[in-house]
Structures are given as C-alpha cells and as structure tokens.
Amino acid sequence: RYGGWIDEIPEITECGVYTLNPITSPENNCFKIASPNSTLEYFVLEYRRKRGTFEGSAPGTGLLVYRIDKRYDGDGNAGGPPDEVYVYRQGGTPTSNGSLSEANLSANEGRTEINNNSDPFAFLQNGQPAGLDISNVGYVGETISFEVSFNKAPVAGFASSGTLITEGCSLDFFDNS
C-alpha cells in the first residue's frame, strides 16, 4: 500500500508449510491470512533480511507478522492506537508495546511461533485472540519456511485412508505394521 511495490498479496487458505523469499525479491515475498475471528482484520507475513540499502538497518532477520485493520484503511498509525498496521513483537500485548527489536521470528532467535498462547501473542485490535496459528518457523537463509494451521476442533473418527479428519486440516497417520 504505502511502498507500492507489491500489486497483489497471495492469500493462504489451507494448512501447510509455506516458504517466503525476502521482501526485496520480486516474487513470493509476502502472504496474507484472513483472521477467523474478525472480518475486518487480517495478517500479512514478510521475510525481512538485514542486508541491502533498505533492509540493512532492520533490527533483525526473520519472519514478520503484521495485523492489518481495514477500518483504518489509509490512515496509518499516526493517531493510534487503534492502528491500521500492527507488527507483532515479543512482549507486545493490547496494553504493552513490547520490543520491536524482537519482532523477527526464526529458529535462530528461538521465536518460532505466533498464536493465541505464544509470546508474541496474536491479538485483534480489541484485545481478543486473533485465531492466527503459525509454528515451526525455520532458520534464516535464502528463504524462510513456516507452518500454518487453522484452529478447528477435530471431528471424531478417521477416514478409511488413515487420515484424521478435522474441520481445518487433515493429518496423515502411517501404519507401521
């Protein structure tokens, strides 16, 4: 929006493992995830690497997760909170700013998840849980990988193929006999 260098952000709608190039790459450089708990808020994920002209002054390298609130579209954060864009960060809560220098997620930093129970805590503008579930954030490199789940209660039972059926994801189980 503000930089104008990304035309459209692809949306993650399925559970799985995803990989991002750094934001300085021309493609596969960000994803969007809709909040299951709000029709007005969503998340944007970027891989920021501490190198180059624009990224060299970043506090760290890793996956950044932003909450975007459509109610403040185009207003930025000048008068916030409430904010149009919020960067999740270690120690950040609805009542505490936390540390922006610890916003980058990576296995290198030991910050490999963001969900309703983690630090950073995934919360909506009103302080309620966001429903975001990202885990297994990998090590920094040419790309970074992470896993997305959608928190849904499992349905009792298994499919005949040995796959556990849930409302959000399916997990394959192997018969080792």
Side-chain angles (χ1 to χ4, degrees), residues 61-62 104-112 136-140 144-145:
T61 295
N104 54 312
L105 303 175
S106 72
N108 306 64
E109 300 293 337
R111 293 187 293 273
T112 61
N136 298 318
V137 178
Y139 287 94
V140 300
I144 196 163
S145 63

Side-chain angles (χ1 to χ4, degrees), residues 82-93:
D83 299 314
E84 177 185 4
V85 179
Y86 177 83
V87 179
Y88 290 107
R89 75 277 313 243
Q90 189 92 23
T93 69

Side-chain angles (χ1 to χ4, degrees), residues 83-165:
D83 299 314
E84 177 185 4
V85 179
Y86 177 83
V87 179
Y88 290 107
R89 75 277 313 243
Q90 189 92 23
T93 69
T95 57
S96 175
N97 285 332
S99 175
L100 262 176
S101 65
E102 295 181 5
N104 54 312
L105 303 175
S106 72
N108 306 64
E109 300 293 337
R111 293 187 293 273
T112 61
E113 65 181 0
I114 180 169
N115 56 51
N116 294 341
N117 301 306
S118 65
D119 184 8
F121 163 54
F123 58 93
L124 297 172
Q125 190 85 252
N126 65 7
Q128 296 299 308
L132 181 65
D133 191 357
I134 295 173
S135 61
N136 298 318
V137 178
Y139 287 94
V140 300
E142 292 302 312
T143 62
I144 196 163
S145 63
F146 55 93
E147 186 173 346
V148 175
S149 298
F150 294 96
N151 292 325
K152 305 280 183 166
V155 176
F158 290 84
S160 60
S161 64
T163 300
L164 172 64
I165 303 298

